[in-house]
């Protein structure tokens, strides 16, 4: 509230000409428009009764002070009520708070930082292991260098053996690993397998998966969806919760607020068709990924994957994985990022100034150049760690076949996990954290006899069938020993 200053003309003060700022500006403007009303010491009074005396600096009338206090109290009450209505989750390894405990020691992070691919953040030379960087690369005709995926798998398997030996020492008092995924319709079989694999493989005291949905109960909107969700909920293991995405409320007061109001809220992102590709839906998940990681931190997952082992050695790391053989591109189907990080990725290319949702948020931004510019120190894990069959698919189509010893399942397309027999090919992916199958089974590039992209025909004995039976309960869930290493502060 700005009253007459020493620099104001006497005529202006006598006539009650003032300016106002802040939450009480509208009140001031209303008083100023009333006939015969002026201001004395910042208080509106009739001009005829206004005493003429020298104004003392710093004085505010009791009525105005009370109004300001009431306005402030109302604003604080509104903010408190808004925050209370929003979902709150612990996430001690990705909350960017150095005082919160994370159970993963630096040595475990370094085991995988050492395998970082050239396009991402680089580890110290003293720990760098070139096993994967020299294995997953484009064919160099001049030097006759080809990819050798078996060498990278060997490095991953060695690390997995150490991880498994140390896993029983990892326990948490609060959620240390908060994971996120988005699903916009009734639950389907392939997504239910992802949820079951999370529950079965991740540490039940440390990990939690939030399945964000557009409306309450949309995942149970039909009889089949309800049955699949109930099967997931009956399992023991790491918790999985369903949470409505309150986009408007979550965006309030953040850099996303204007974009959400202009480009996101006008659309209805719910659907009764699994994996619907209506306007912008596939790009919405790319927006959602950076939006939710900015707000909460943790790890984002596309829903078209299967987890194979505990991710505890990666807790707290910024990571994505390499795009097949291409060391200049990344795949964002899995991304680890701390809370409030990654705004340079969001702002790149003027995405927040866009008129619609959500072009520009997808694969175009996941390049080595942009990620280096982002300042997030994001490691590019090898493709073998999350998407090993992609190497086989690209080798089959381009002639850059990997060598020499992996017995790859057939057919060499996205339907392999629904048609290839596990008993015939075994766990050729041993060492990988998961399988991202690209949601393309049965599509125009997938082949096979699948009914649709998200509802494929599953052969008995196939990899998918094997995993469904395997993940009916937790796999090797460790019982916390008395001498377990409790979550320690990360220095």
């Amino acid at each position: 509230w700005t009253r007459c200053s020493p620099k104001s003309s006497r005529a202006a003060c006598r006539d009650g000409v003032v300016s106002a700022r802040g939450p009480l500006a509208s009140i001031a403007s209303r008083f100023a428009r009333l006939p015969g009303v002026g201001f004395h010491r910042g208080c509106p009074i009739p001009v005829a009764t206004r005493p003429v005396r020298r104004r003392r600096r710093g004085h505010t009338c009791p009525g105005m002070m009370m109004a300001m206090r009431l306005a402030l109290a109302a604003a604080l009450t509104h903010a408190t009520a808004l925050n209370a209505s929003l979902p709150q989750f612990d996430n001690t390894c990705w909350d960017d708070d150095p005082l919160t405990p994370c159970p993963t020691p630096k040595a475990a992070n370094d085991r995988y930082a050492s395998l970082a691919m050239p396009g991402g953040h680089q580890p110290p030379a003293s720990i760098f292991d070139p096993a994967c960087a020299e294995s997953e690369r484009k064919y160099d005709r001049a030097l006759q260098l080809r990819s050798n995926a078996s060498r990278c798998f060997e490095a991953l398997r060695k690390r997995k053996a150490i991880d498994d030996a140390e896993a029983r020492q990892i326990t948490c008092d609060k959620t240390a690993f908060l994971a996120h995924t988005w699903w916009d319709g009734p639950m389907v079989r392939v997504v239910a397998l992802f949820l079951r694999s999370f529950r079965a493989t991740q540490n039940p005291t440390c990990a939690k998966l939030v399945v964000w949905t557009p409306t309450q109960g949309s995942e149970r909107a039909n009889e089949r969806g309800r049955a699949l969700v109930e099967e997931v909920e009956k399992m023991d293991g790491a918790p999985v919760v369903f949470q409505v995405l309150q986009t408007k409320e979550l965006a309030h007061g953040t850099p996303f607020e204007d974009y959400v109001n202009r480009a996101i809220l006008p659309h209805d992102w719910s659907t009764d068709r699994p994996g619907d590709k209506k306007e912008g839906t596939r790009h919405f998940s790319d927006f959602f990924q950076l939006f939710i990681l900015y707000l909460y931190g943790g790890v984002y997952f596309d829903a078209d994957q299967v987890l194979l082992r505990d991710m505890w050695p990666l807790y707290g790391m910024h990571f994505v994985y390499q795009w097949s053989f291409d060391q200049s591109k990344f795949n964002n189907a899995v991304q680890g990022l701390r809370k409030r990080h990654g705004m340079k990725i969001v702002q790149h290319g003027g995405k927040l100034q866009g008129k619609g949702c959500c072009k520009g948020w997808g694969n175009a931004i996941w390049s080595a150049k942009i990620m280096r510019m982002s300042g997030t120190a994001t490691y590019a894990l090898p493709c073998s760690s999350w998407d090993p069959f992609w190497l086989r698919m690209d080798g089959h189509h381009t002639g850059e076949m990997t060598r020499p010893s992996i017995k790859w399942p057939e057919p060499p397309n996205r339907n392999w996990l629904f048609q290839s027999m596990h008993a015939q090919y075994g766990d050729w992916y041993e060492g990988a954290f998961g399988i991202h199958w690209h949601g393309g089974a049965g599509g125009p590039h997938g082949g096979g006899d699948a009914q649709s992209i998200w509802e494929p025909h599953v052969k008995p004995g196939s990899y998918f069938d094997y995993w469904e039976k395997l993940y009916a309960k937790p796999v090797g869930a460790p019982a916390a020993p008395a001498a377990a290493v409790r979550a320690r502060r990360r220095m």
Side-chain angles (χ1 to χ4, degrees):
W1 185 270
T2 303
R3 299 176 297 277
C4 299
S5 69
K7 296 182 181 180
S8 304
S9 67
R10 291 188 178 183
C13 289
R14 184 175 63 250
D15 295 336
V17 178
V18 297
S19 63
R21 294 190 299 267
L24 301 180
S26 60
I27 300 176
S29 63
R30 291 172 186 170
F31 275 121
R33 290 195 297 269
L34 294 176
V37 173
F39 284 77
H40 174 62
R41 295 183 180 178
C43 304
I45 60 172
V47 173
T49 62
R50 184 186 62 214
V52 179
R53 62 177 67 178
R54 185 180 180 87
R55 171 183 163 274
R56 290 185 296 171
R57 293 186 182 181
H59 176 78
T60 304
C61 67
M64 189 57 64
M65 287 295 296
M66 179 60 70
M68 293 173 66
R69 288 171 181 169
L70 290 174
L72 179 59
L76 291 175
T77 300
H78 174 73
T80 302
L82 179 62
N83 289 335
S85 69
L86 296 177
Q88 304 293 322
F89 299 106
D90 291 320
N91 191 17
T92 61
C93 287
W94 275 283
D95 62 6
D96 208 28
D97 183 349
L99 299 180
T100 56
C102 182
T104 300
K106 184 176 182 298
N109 282 171
D110 285 349
R111 284 201 288 272
Y112 292 92
S114 67
L115 293 178
M117 305 303 286
H121 186 65
Q122 292 299 289
S126 59
I127 67 169
F128 177 64
D129 181 347
C132 293
E134 294 180 357
S135 299
E136 299 177 2
R137 58 188 174 191
K138 290 185 176 181
Y139 173 47
D140 188 323
R141 293 183 180 277
L143 299 177
Q144 287 295 300
L145 295 176
R146 293 180 178 268
S147 292
N148 183 358
S150 59
R151 183 183 174 195
C152 187
F153 275 123
E154 182 181 0
L156 288 169
R157 284 194 293 270
K158 288 181 179 178
R159 285 159 173 78
K160 180 180 181 297
I162 300 173
D163 298 343
D164 292 345
E166 296 178 356
R168 291 181 177 273
Q169 301 176 358
I170 304 300
T171 185
C172 305
D173 296 321
K174 295 182 178 181
T175 300
F177 164 31
L178 186 65
H180 312 270
T181 194
W182 163 259
W183 188 245
D184 56 8
M187 186 55 56
V188 293
R189 189 176 175 184
V190 292
V191 177
L193 177 60
F194 166 56
L195 307 187
R196 289 166 62 172
S197 71
F198 185 93
R199 299 210 70 177
T201 61
Q202 301 309 301
N203 188 311
T205 68
C206 297
K208 177 182 287 185
L209 172 62
V210 184
V211 183
W212 297 88
T213 63
T215 57
Q216 186 69 39
S218 59
E219 71 281 357
R220 310 165 196 255
N222 59 32
E223 185 176 345
R224 177 60 172 156
R226 187 182 309 109
L228 287 168
V229 171
E230 290 174 355
E231 289 177 6
V232 172
E233 292 176 335
K234 288 177 183 177
M235 286 182 62
D236 293 326
V240 171
V241 299
F242 294 86
Q243 178 67 51
V244 175
L245 182 67
Q246 299 168 266
T247 316
K248 180 180 179 64
E249 292 78 9
L250 288 169
H252 180 72
T254 74
F256 294 89
E257 183 172 13
D258 181 63
Y259 180 77
V260 164
N261 290 331
R262 183 180 67 254
I264 301 296
L265 296 181
H267 296 273
D268 175 16
W269 301 107
S270 61
T271 178
D272 58 3
R273 297 175 54 200
D276 193 356
K277 298 299 183 184
K278 66 183 180 182
E279 178 192 1
T281 303
R282 59 182 175 179
H283 298 294
F284 175 79
S285 64
D286 293 315
F287 157 79
F288 163 81
Q289 172 176 348
L290 292 171
F291 177 60
I292 211 69
L293 290 178
Y294 176 84
L295 295 172
Y296 291 100
V299 178
Y300 165 83
F301 291 97
D302 280 357
D304 53 345
Q305 27 196 325
V306 179
L307 300 186
L308 301 173
R309 65 183 180 103
D310 195 346
M311 289 177 56
W312 74 266
L314 304 181
Y315 287 5
M317 290 181 68
H318 288 186
F319 69 90
V320 287
Y321 72 85
Q322 181 173 285
W323 186 286
S324 187
F325 294 107
D326 192 342
Q327 297 184 345
S328 67
K329 293 179 66 178
F330 306 138
N331 192 299
N332 63 322
V334 183
Q335 182 186 13
L337 193 67
R338 289 195 180 122
K339 182 178 179 180
R340 295 294 191 267
H341 285 245
M343 275 312 297
K344 288 187 177 180
I345 306 174
V346 172
Q347 294 167 343
H348 179 77
K351 291 185 293 298
L352 291 179
Q353 285 70 51
K355 295 181 179 179
C357 180
C358 296
K359 293 182 178 179
W361 293 83
N363 292 336
I365 65 174
W366 300 101
S367 70
K369 179 180 179 181
I370 294 173
M371 293 303 288
R372 284 195 294 266
M373 172 276 298
S374 72
T376 57
T378 295
Y379 291 100
L381 298 181
C383 186
S384 296
S385 62
W386 284 105
D387 205 344
F389 200 75
W390 198 2
L391 301 171
R392 171 68 176 95
M393 289 172 59
D394 280 1
H396 173 79
H397 292 301
T398 67
E400 298 168 359
M401 293 294 291
T402 53
R403 62 174 176 84
S405 59
I406 295 177
K407 185 179 180 182
W408 298 94
E410 299 291 339
N413 59 47
R414 297 173 186 181
N415 271 323
W416 70 270
L417 70 163
F418 306 110
Q419 299 179 13
S420 298
M421 298 296 105
H422 178 268
Q424 180 179 357
Y425 297 100
D427 295 341
W428 58 272
Y429 43 70
E430 181 71 19
F433 283 97
I435 301 286
H436 175 220
W437 54 275
H438 292 260
H445 304 293
D449 56 358
Q451 298 170 358
S452 71
I453 291 176
W454 292 98
E455 297 175 338
H457 177 76
V458 178
K459 288 185 177 181
S462 66
Y463 279 89
F464 189 92
D465 182 58
Y466 166 77
W467 288 325
E468 275 195 320
K469 294 173 181 176
L470 177 67
Y471 295 145
K473 58 183 179 180
V475 178
V485 177
R486 290 284 173 178
R488 298 187 293 270
R489 290 186 178 183
R490 184 188 295 278
M491 302 304 294

